[in-house]
Amino acid sequence: MELVERNAEISILNGMLDVCMAGRGGVALISGPAASGKTALLRAFGTRVVAAGALFLQATGSGAERDLPLGVMEQLLLGADLPGADVELAAGLQDPEAAATPVRRDEGALPAAVANVLAGLCGILLAKAREKPMVLCIDDVQHVDAYSLECVLYLARR
């Protein structure tokens, strides 16, 4: 698929991928009106990421699943080709009691049980990132559940 009038965006993303492949991280936010080609741009970039030898993990936020705690993290972890022990660890970390505690960004720090779950899930992805370069792609981030968003922000800081 050829993207029309997206050369500048592809060039920026390719530059960020080169930096990623060299061992440094970064964050890109792609915004624009509905039906402007954001998803097509992400798919084209994903093809480039895989061809470069990096791990490409993708998820899509959904308004229907916004109240599903860690739904986007689950999508990312499912694509990470985790060994059995990490799959069991990830399943064990998705604690229903902790996940039942709502995230309230206006109250400051997360409850300890929730913070431990999020740190554990992120730890799995950070370990994978030490093995090979990793690109996380989240489409429709405006619909991501609060816990997954906290995880993504945690990962971005690291």
Side-chain angles (χ1 to χ4, degrees), residues 87-154:
V87 170
E88 289 176 24
L89 177 59
L93 285 170
Q94 292 187 11
D95 176 8
E97 262 186 56
T101 307
V103 173
R104 305 223 20 154
R105 298 201 42 86
D106 57 337
E107 291 180 9
L110 296 170
V114 173
N116 289 337
V117 168
L118 299 184
L121 291 172
C122 291
I124 293 169
L125 290 178
L126 290 170
K128 288 295 278 187
R130 283 189 282 282
E131 295 172 12
K132 70 190 290 187
M134 177 186 301
V135 173
L136 303 179
C137 175
I138 303 171
D139 200 2
D140 292 330
V141 73
Q142 72 274 17
H143 298 300
V144 172
D145 65 275
Y147 287 126
S148 292
L149 187 56
E150 286 294 327
C151 283
V152 170
L153 293 171
Y154 179 94

Side-chain angles (χ1 to χ4, degrees), residues 42-93:
L42 293 175
R43 287 185 182 144
F45 180 61
T47 300
R48 165 81 168 92
V49 169
V50 172
L55 180 59
F56 182 67
L57 302 180
Q58 58 187 341
T60 302
S62 165
E65 295 181 0
R66 189 174 194 146
D67 293 330
L68 178 63
L70 299 170
V72 164
M73 283 303 295
E74 181 179 17
Q75 289 179 55
L76 292 173
L77 289 166
L78 286 173
D81 193 27
L82 300 174
D86 283 344
V87 170
E88 289 176 24
L89 177 59
L93 285 170

